[in-house]
Amino acid sequence: MNMAVNPDRFRGPAKVRSDGSTPTAILEQMNKAFESFKANTNKELEDLKAGKADVVQTEKVDRINSEVTDLQKALDETNATLAALRVGGGGTDTVAAEVAEHSKVFNSWFRKGDRAIDADLNELEVNAGLTTVSDPDGGFLVPEQVSGEIDRVVGTVSVMRDVSNVMQIEGNAYEKLINMGGTKSGWVDEKDERPETGGPTLQKIVVNLMELYANPAATQRMLDDARLDIAAWLADEVSVEFAEQEGAAYIKGNGVNKPRGILGYDTVANADYKWGKVGFIKSGKANGFLAPTAEDSPADALISTYFGLKQAYRNGASWLMSDATMEAARKFKNAEGDFIFALPTAAAELPTILNKPVRTDDNMDAVGAGKFPIAFGNFQRGYLIVDKFGVRVLRDPFSKKPYVHFYTTKRTGGGIVNFEAIKLLKIAA
């Protein structure tokens, strides 16, 4: 499957979308659409309470709601591209001679596969600081600009990479001891005995590195073309595939040959929360959210989820849900009749629910019985993504002639490191 993306999209000026709209203009359109959405939603609710349900009015609300979602996507895409350019577009004015030489030799090897330069590449990788060991059987590390291009696209597509703690490691796993109980203590009088107190209970968290791969192919004639930008072609072929595979794993991965996602752990009702499981709050209805009545509101479940997270974690918390779920949540009101959803107040900001930012990822569950469509948490403290430095390429001109395959791998892993910092909303009565 060709998951290619045009790398030029991440290079030049990105202040204007393809339709000519600036981020500020998109935000202005969103505000107008959202005001219309709120007015028409209020009318729809008034009609329902009066027993005069109007299908046309409901369709109008849904149409405007979808328009707001599309505009939010456009704004998010523009802001993400600008952020990617800020992160990866600069660099120093002068590139180290070893790095430049490695890039030059890699380009030659990529096109021709000359075994005579393999030893040179091994030495250049070490001299350029890309690795500390030679690995002639495992291919070669791509130049920094290629790796950076891939990382920028991955960071733009994968929401979890943006909200989580990301760390580069040297070994094959990240290990951390968690203090579960702390050291015991007590109050005593000046002359009282001091009995021995219990020690802390420690539990080890391990996040293992897994291997992610792509295997693009090109003809030798294509590679011989001097006009082919090797860096752009390779990044274009593998970056989106990597991003989509990672994004799905960080949400739903089961930890078997892939990262373990936030929905890949055992869950428990938040009232009975225990370490090692993710606490959840119920929606109040077996197959969806509560219908708005004088006594109940669909917003009640989100409010309970909000307060289900300890105050210490709420300061940096955010919501995570699919676009479809966010469209539904846009209609929710609190007990005072105010919408709990709010548009961003500036072009570079995010929409909010209960004053906390909302991120959308369609890897999250859809609304359905027993599903977990919404997560709320401090993902920086709760979820860790670990990367092994570099992207490695193995050139294979033999398996499927006349094509030359480039078996491209990166090593990454992910998992929850603080179960207190993430809560889920479950569709259940």
Side-chain angles (χ1 to χ4, degrees), residues 226-304:
R227 293 173 297 177
L228 174 66
D229 184 338
I230 292 298
W233 180 82
L234 184 62
D236 195 34
E237 289 294 313
V238 306
S239 56
V240 171
E241 179 65 20
F242 277 3
E244 294 191 348
Q245 291 290 339
E246 282 188 16
Y250 298 146
I251 299 292
K252 292 185 174 179
N254 59 9
V256 179
N257 296 326
K258 65 182 68 171
R260 195 166 183 182
I262 59 172
L263 300 185
Y265 290 83
D266 291 337
T267 59
V268 63
N270 203 46
D272 302 318
Y273 164 78
K274 59 180 66 176
W275 185 269
K277 297 184 178 182
V278 185
F280 67 79
I281 290 83
K282 295 180 180 180
S283 67
K285 185 178 177 182
N287 59 354
F289 294 97
L290 291 170
T293 66
E295 296 80 22
D296 299 311
S297 166
D300 292 347
L302 274 73
I303 294 171
S304 295

Side-chain angles (χ1 to χ4, degrees), residues 135-163:
D135 187 11
D137 297 325
F140 298 101
L141 289 172
V142 302
E144 284 186 338
Q145 67 269 27
V146 183
S147 179
E149 184 73 28
I150 293 172
D151 287 345
R152 286 196 293 277
V153 178
V154 170
T156 302
V157 176
S158 175
V159 170
M160 285 298 290
R161 267 197 180 270
D162 196 32
V163 300

Side-chain angles (χ1 to χ4, degrees), residues 174-233:
Y174 172 84
E175 297 183 4
K176 180 180 180 181
L177 287 175
I178 303 294
N179 187 341
M180 300 297 298
T183 303
K184 304 301 181 184
S185 60
W187 296 97
V188 293
D189 185 71
E190 180 182 1
K191 296 180 181 180
D192 287 348
E193 292 185 6
R194 271 65 170 175
E196 184 177 346
T197 59
T201 302
L202 301 177
Q203 185 165 334
K204 185 163 70 173
I205 294 289
V206 180
V207 180
N208 293 305
L209 285 171
M210 306 297 180
E211 187 163 283
L212 178 63
Y213 81 93
N215 196 24
T219 63
Q220 187 58 55
R221 180 177 296 180
M222 174 182 169
L223 297 172
D224 289 340
D225 188 348
R227 293 173 297 177
L228 174 66
D229 184 338
I230 292 298
W233 180 82

Side-chain angles (χ1 to χ4, degrees), residues 124-144:
L124 283 168
E125 283 184 359
V126 176
N127 292 342
L130 301 179
T131 184
T132 57
V133 295
S134 297
D135 187 11
D137 297 325
F140 298 101
L141 289 172
V142 302
E144 284 186 338

